[in-house]
Amino acid sequence: MFLWRTLRGEWNGIIADPVRQLRRRGLPALSLAFLAAFGVIFFHAIAQHPAGATAVRLLGGVYADLPLWLALLRTPVSLYVPALDLPVWAGITQLFLAFALAELALGRARTLLISYVTTLAGTLTVRAMLAIGPGWHGIGLPPEIGQVLDTGPSAAVVGLFTYISVVRRAPIVFTLTGGSMVWESIAVPNLAGREHLIAVAAAIVLALVHERGRRRTVGPSSPSTPASVPAPCPTAGPSLLP
Protein backbone atom coordinates (compact mmCIF):
# COMPACT_ATOMS: atom_id res chain seq x y z
CA MET A 1 0.00 0.00 0.00
CA PHE A 2 2.87 2.39 0.73
CA LEU A 3 4.38 1.70 -2.68
CA TRP A 4 1.01 2.17 -4.35
CA ARG A 5 0.37 5.47 -2.56
CA THR A 6 3.86 6.65 -3.49
CA LEU A 7 3.39 5.75 -7.15
CA ARG A 8 -0.04 7.38 -7.25
CA GLY A 9 1.30 10.54 -5.62
CA GLU A 10 4.20 10.75 -8.04
CA TRP A 11 1.91 10.15 -11.00
CA ASN A 12 -0.36 12.98 -9.90
CA GLY A 13 2.49 15.37 -9.10
CA ILE A 14 4.90 14.61 -11.94
CA ILE A 15 2.60 13.59 -14.81
CA ALA A 16 -1.11 14.29 -14.22
CA ASP A 17 -0.80 17.85 -12.95
CA PRO A 18 1.54 19.02 -15.78
CA VAL A 19 -0.77 17.38 -18.33
CA ARG A 20 -3.71 19.29 -16.87
CA GLN A 21 -1.69 22.49 -17.10
CA LEU A 22 -0.87 21.70 -20.73
CA ARG A 23 -4.52 21.10 -21.61
CA ARG A 24 -5.51 24.35 -19.93
CA ARG A 25 -2.72 26.57 -21.30
CA GLY A 26 -2.00 24.89 -24.64
CA LEU A 27 1.29 24.53 -26.52
CA PRO A 28 2.52 28.06 -25.63
CA ALA A 29 3.09 26.67 -22.14
CA LEU A 30 5.95 24.61 -23.62
CA SER A 31 7.72 27.48 -25.34
CA LEU A 32 10.83 27.14 -23.19
CA ALA A 33 11.03 23.39 -23.83
CA PHE A 34 10.70 23.89 -27.59
CA LEU A 35 13.33 26.64 -27.50
CA ALA A 36 15.78 24.41 -25.62
CA ALA A 37 15.25 21.47 -27.99
CA PHE A 38 15.53 23.57 -31.14
CA GLY A 39 18.61 25.30 -29.72
CA VAL A 40 20.37 21.96 -29.24
CA ILE A 41 19.36 20.83 -32.74
CA PHE A 42 20.62 24.11 -34.21
CA PHE A 43 24.02 23.99 -32.52
CA HIS A 44 24.40 20.28 -33.27
CA ALA A 45 23.74 20.91 -36.97
CA ILE A 46 26.24 23.77 -37.05
CA ALA A 47 28.90 21.71 -35.28
CA GLN A 48 28.89 19.12 -38.09
CA HIS A 49 31.09 21.45 -40.19
CA PRO A 50 34.62 22.52 -39.19
CA ALA A 51 33.89 26.25 -39.27
CA GLY A 52 30.61 25.71 -37.42
CA ALA A 53 32.31 23.58 -34.77
CA THR A 54 34.77 26.39 -34.15
CA ALA A 55 31.94 28.91 -33.85
CA VAL A 56 30.04 26.68 -31.40
CA ARG A 57 33.17 26.21 -29.32
CA LEU A 58 33.80 29.96 -29.18
CA LEU A 59 30.19 30.78 -28.31
CA GLY A 60 29.26 28.03 -25.88
CA GLY A 61 32.30 25.90 -25.11
CA VAL A 62 33.06 26.18 -21.39
CA TYR A 63 36.39 24.92 -20.08
CA ALA A 64 37.70 25.21 -16.54
CA ASP A 65 40.93 26.86 -17.65
CA LEU A 66 39.08 29.77 -19.30
CA PRO A 67 39.07 33.15 -17.56
CA LEU A 68 36.13 33.29 -15.19
CA TRP A 69 34.42 36.19 -16.96
CA LEU A 70 34.56 34.35 -20.28
CA ALA A 71 33.21 31.13 -18.74
CA LEU A 72 30.30 33.05 -17.19
CA LEU A 73 29.62 34.71 -20.55
CA ARG A 74 29.51 31.35 -22.36
CA THR A 75 27.55 29.43 -19.73
CA PRO A 76 24.02 30.43 -20.92
CA VAL A 77 24.89 29.34 -24.47
CA SER A 78 26.45 26.10 -23.17
CA LEU A 79 22.95 24.97 -22.16
CA TYR A 80 22.32 24.39 -25.89
CA VAL A 81 25.66 22.84 -26.84
CA PRO A 82 25.36 19.01 -26.79
CA ALA A 83 28.23 16.62 -26.21
CA LEU A 84 29.38 15.52 -29.63
CA ASP A 85 30.33 12.01 -28.45
CA LEU A 86 26.80 11.15 -27.24
CA PRO A 87 23.62 10.32 -29.24
CA VAL A 88 22.05 13.73 -29.76
CA TRP A 89 18.44 12.62 -30.24
CA ALA A 90 18.31 10.76 -26.94
CA GLY A 91 19.72 13.85 -25.26
CA ILE A 92 17.18 16.11 -26.98
CA THR A 93 14.32 13.87 -25.78
CA GLN A 94 15.53 14.05 -22.18
CA LEU A 95 16.10 17.79 -22.47
CA PHE A 96 12.63 18.46 -23.87
CA LEU A 97 10.96 16.27 -21.23
CA ALA A 98 12.85 17.91 -18.36
CA PHE A 99 12.14 21.47 -19.53
CA ALA A 100 8.51 20.66 -20.41
CA LEU A 101 7.71 19.15 -17.00
CA ALA A 102 9.55 21.92 -15.18
CA GLU A 103 7.90 24.68 -17.22
CA LEU A 104 4.43 23.27 -16.57
CA ALA A 105 5.00 22.45 -12.91
CA LEU A 106 7.27 25.30 -11.79
CA GLY A 107 6.83 28.13 -14.26
CA ARG A 108 9.14 29.59 -16.86
CA ALA A 109 11.20 31.88 -14.60
CA ARG A 110 12.00 29.23 -11.99
CA THR A 111 12.85 26.68 -14.70
CA LEU A 112 15.40 29.07 -16.19
CA LEU A 113 16.83 29.85 -12.76
CA ILE A 114 17.27 26.21 -11.77
CA SER A 115 18.77 25.14 -15.08
CA TYR A 116 21.28 28.00 -15.02
CA VAL A 117 22.24 27.71 -11.34
CA THR A 118 22.76 23.94 -11.46
CA THR A 119 24.91 24.26 -14.59
CA LEU A 120 26.89 27.14 -13.11
CA ALA A 121 27.40 25.25 -9.85
CA GLY A 122 29.18 22.45 -11.71
CA THR A 123 31.36 24.92 -13.63
CA LEU A 124 32.46 26.81 -10.52
CA THR A 125 32.97 23.70 -8.38
CA VAL A 126 35.24 22.14 -10.99
CA ARG A 127 37.39 25.27 -10.79
CA ALA A 128 37.65 24.79 -7.04
CA MET A 129 38.62 21.13 -7.53
CA LEU A 130 41.34 22.15 -9.97
CA ALA A 131 42.63 24.70 -7.46
CA ILE A 132 42.83 21.97 -4.81
CA GLY A 133 44.84 19.75 -7.13
CA PRO A 134 45.08 15.95 -7.31
CA GLY A 135 45.60 13.69 -4.33
CA TRP A 136 43.34 15.41 -1.78
CA HIS A 137 41.06 12.48 -0.84
CA GLY A 138 39.99 12.16 -4.47
CA ILE A 139 38.30 15.58 -4.51
CA GLY A 140 40.96 17.53 -6.37
CA LEU A 141 41.51 17.28 -10.10
CA PRO A 142 44.68 17.29 -12.22
CA PRO A 143 45.40 20.36 -14.38
CA GLU A 144 44.66 18.58 -17.68
CA ILE A 145 40.96 18.40 -16.73
CA GLY A 146 40.85 22.12 -17.38
CA GLN A 147 40.97 21.32 -21.11
CA VAL A 148 37.85 19.09 -21.00
CA LEU A 149 34.59 20.50 -22.36
CA ASP A 150 31.81 21.18 -19.86
CA THR A 151 28.76 18.92 -19.67
CA GLY A 152 26.46 21.34 -21.48
CA PRO A 153 22.69 20.83 -21.13
CA SER A 154 22.88 17.49 -19.30
CA ALA A 155 23.62 19.17 -15.94
CA ALA A 156 20.49 21.30 -16.36
CA VAL A 157 18.43 18.20 -17.17
CA VAL A 158 19.67 16.40 -14.06
CA GLY A 159 19.09 19.50 -11.93
CA LEU A 160 15.52 20.00 -13.16
CA PHE A 161 14.50 16.37 -12.58
CA THR A 162 16.04 16.45 -9.10
CA TYR A 163 14.35 19.74 -8.18
CA ILE A 164 10.93 18.55 -9.37
CA SER A 165 11.27 15.27 -7.47
CA VAL A 166 12.02 17.13 -4.23
CA VAL A 167 9.32 19.81 -4.39
CA ARG A 168 6.71 17.32 -5.65
CA ARG A 169 7.62 14.68 -3.04
CA ALA A 170 8.64 12.04 -5.61
CA PRO A 171 11.15 9.68 -3.94
CA ILE A 172 11.14 7.18 -6.81
CA VAL A 173 12.04 9.80 -9.42
CA PHE A 174 14.60 11.23 -7.01
CA THR A 175 16.18 7.80 -6.48
CA LEU A 176 16.30 7.09 -10.20
CA THR A 177 17.85 10.48 -10.96
CA GLY A 178 20.32 10.70 -8.10
CA GLY A 179 21.09 6.99 -8.10
CA SER A 180 21.89 6.96 -11.79
CA MET A 181 24.25 9.91 -11.31
CA VAL A 182 26.04 8.17 -8.45
CA TRP A 183 26.35 5.02 -10.55
CA GLU A 184 27.65 7.04 -13.48
CA SER A 185 30.31 8.72 -11.34
CA ILE A 186 31.45 5.31 -10.05
CA ALA A 187 31.30 3.42 -13.36
CA VAL A 188 32.80 6.23 -15.46
CA PRO A 189 34.78 8.53 -13.15
CA ASN A 190 35.07 11.52 -15.45
CA LEU A 191 34.34 15.24 -15.31
CA ALA A 192 30.73 14.85 -16.47
CA GLY A 193 29.95 12.45 -13.62
CA ARG A 194 31.23 14.93 -11.06
CA GLU A 195 29.32 17.83 -12.58
CA HIS A 196 26.12 15.78 -12.60
CA LEU A 197 26.53 15.01 -8.90
CA ILE A 198 27.13 18.71 -8.23
CA ALA A 199 23.97 19.55 -10.21
CA VAL A 200 21.99 17.07 -8.07
CA ALA A 201 23.34 18.63 -4.87
CA ALA A 202 22.65 22.18 -6.07
CA ALA A 203 19.09 21.27 -7.06
CA ILE A 204 18.45 19.72 -3.65
CA VAL A 205 19.66 22.88 -1.91
CA LEU A 206 17.49 25.09 -4.14
CA ALA A 207 14.43 22.92 -3.53
CA LEU A 208 14.92 22.88 0.25
CA VAL A 209 15.40 26.65 0.33
CA HIS A 210 12.23 27.12 -1.71
CA GLU A 211 10.23 24.80 0.53
CA ARG A 212 11.46 26.57 3.65
CA GLY A 213 10.55 29.95 2.20
CA ARG A 214 7.13 28.69 1.20
CA ARG A 215 6.44 27.41 4.72
CA ARG A 216 7.44 30.77 6.18
CA THR A 217 5.14 32.56 3.76
CA VAL A 218 2.17 30.31 4.43
CA GLY A 219 2.82 30.14 8.17
CA PRO A 220 1.62 27.53 10.62
CA SER A 221 -1.94 26.48 10.12
CA SER A 222 -4.11 27.61 12.97
CA PRO A 223 -7.86 27.50 13.36
CA SER A 224 -9.44 30.76 12.39
CA THR A 225 -10.91 32.67 15.26
CA PRO A 226 -14.29 34.08 14.36
CA ALA A 227 -14.72 37.79 14.74
CA SER A 228 -16.42 38.79 17.91
CA VAL A 229 -20.03 39.62 17.24
CA PRO A 230 -21.71 41.87 19.76
CA ALA A 231 -24.46 40.16 21.65
CA PRO A 232 -27.90 41.25 20.56
CA CYS A 233 -29.69 43.55 22.87
CA PRO A 234 -32.41 41.73 24.78
CA THR A 235 -35.85 42.60 23.66
CA ALA A 236 -37.73 44.37 26.38
CA GLY A 237 -40.76 42.45 27.48
CA PRO A 238 -44.01 43.97 28.79
CA SER A 239 -43.47 45.90 31.99
CA LEU A 240 -45.09 44.54 35.12
CA LEU A 241 -45.02 47.93 36.79
CA PRO A 242 -47.58 50.57 36.18
Side-chain angles (χ1 to χ4, degrees), residues 114-132:
I114 296 160
S115 59
Y116 181 74
V117 170
T118 51
T119 302
L120 188 61
T123 300
L124 297 180
T125 307
V126 167
R127 287 176 172 268
M129 293 178 178
L130 284 171
I132 292 173

Side-chain angles (χ1 to χ4, degrees), residues 94-232:
Q94 295 176 4
L95 179 75
F96 181 84
L97 183 60
F99 272 86
L101 290 177
E103 191 173 5
L104 292 170
L106 309 175
R108 193 166 297 138
R110 193 153 36 130
T111 300
L112 282 173
L113 175 66
I114 296 160
S115 59
Y116 181 74
V117 170
T118 51
T119 302
L120 188 61
T123 300
L124 297 180
T125 307
V126 167
R127 287 176 172 268
M129 293 178 178
L130 284 171
I132 292 173
W136 200 75
H137 302 289
I139 297 178
L141 292 171
E144 57 268 19
I145 297 297
Q147 304 288 332
V148 179
L149 184 66
D150 210 337
T151 56
S154 60
V157 171
V158 172
L160 288 173
F161 275 125
T162 302
Y163 187 95
I164 294 173
S165 65
V166 174
V167 297
R168 289 301 175 101
R169 308 292 195 276
I172 296 178
V173 175
F174 177 82
T175 302
L176 291 175
T177 304
S180 63
M181 294 304 101
V182 172
W183 172 252
E184 176 196 13
S185 64
I186 295 174
V188 186
N190 55 12
L191 181 64
R194 293 196 181 208
E195 290 189 336
H196 290 161
L197 287 179
I198 295 166
V200 168
I204 292 173
V205 172
L206 290 173
L208 294 179
V209 169
H210 174 265
E211 289 297 290
R212 186 175 181 180
R214 186 181 62 83
R215 291 194 188 100
R216 285 184 176 180
T217 303
V218 174
S221 57
S222 57
S224 58
T225 56
S228 57
V229 180

Side-chain angles (χ1 to χ4, degrees), residues 8-162:
R8 186 176 61 182
E10 295 197 19
W11 172 265
N12 290 331
I14 303 294
I15 303 297
D17 181 63
V19 168
R20 283 193 295 268
Q21 293 291 332
L22 179 61
R23 292 177 61 183
R24 183 172 63 87
R25 296 158 55 189
L27 285 180
L30 299 179
S31 58
L32 191 60
F34 283 116
L35 177 64
F38 288 146
V40 172
I41 294 173
F42 174 75
F43 281 105
H44 177 74
I46 291 179
Q48 302 308 307
H49 307 281
T54 303
V56 171
R57 179 177 56 82
L58 294 177
L59 289 174
V62 177
Y63 303 87
D65 62 352
L66 286 175
L68 181 58
W69 67 269
L70 185 56
L72 294 177
L73 193 62
R74 292 182 181 182
T75 297
V77 184
S78 72
L79 293 173
Y80 305 102
V81 178
L84 299 179
D85 57 341
L86 296 177
V88 63
W89 293 108
I92 290 173
T93 303
Q94 295 176 4
L95 179 75
F96 181 84
L97 183 60
F99 272 86
L101 290 177
E103 191 173 5
L104 292 170
L106 309 175
R108 193 166 297 138
R110 193 153 36 130
T111 300
L112 282 173
L113 175 66
I114 296 160
S115 59
Y116 181 74
V117 170
T118 51
T119 302
L120 188 61
T123 300
L124 297 180
T125 307
V126 167
R127 287 176 172 268
M129 293 178 178
L130 284 171
I132 292 173
W136 200 75
H137 302 289
I139 297 178
L141 292 171
E144 57 268 19
I145 297 297
Q147 304 288 332
V148 179
L149 184 66
D150 210 337
T151 56
S154 60
V157 171
V158 172
L160 288 173
F161 275 125
T162 302

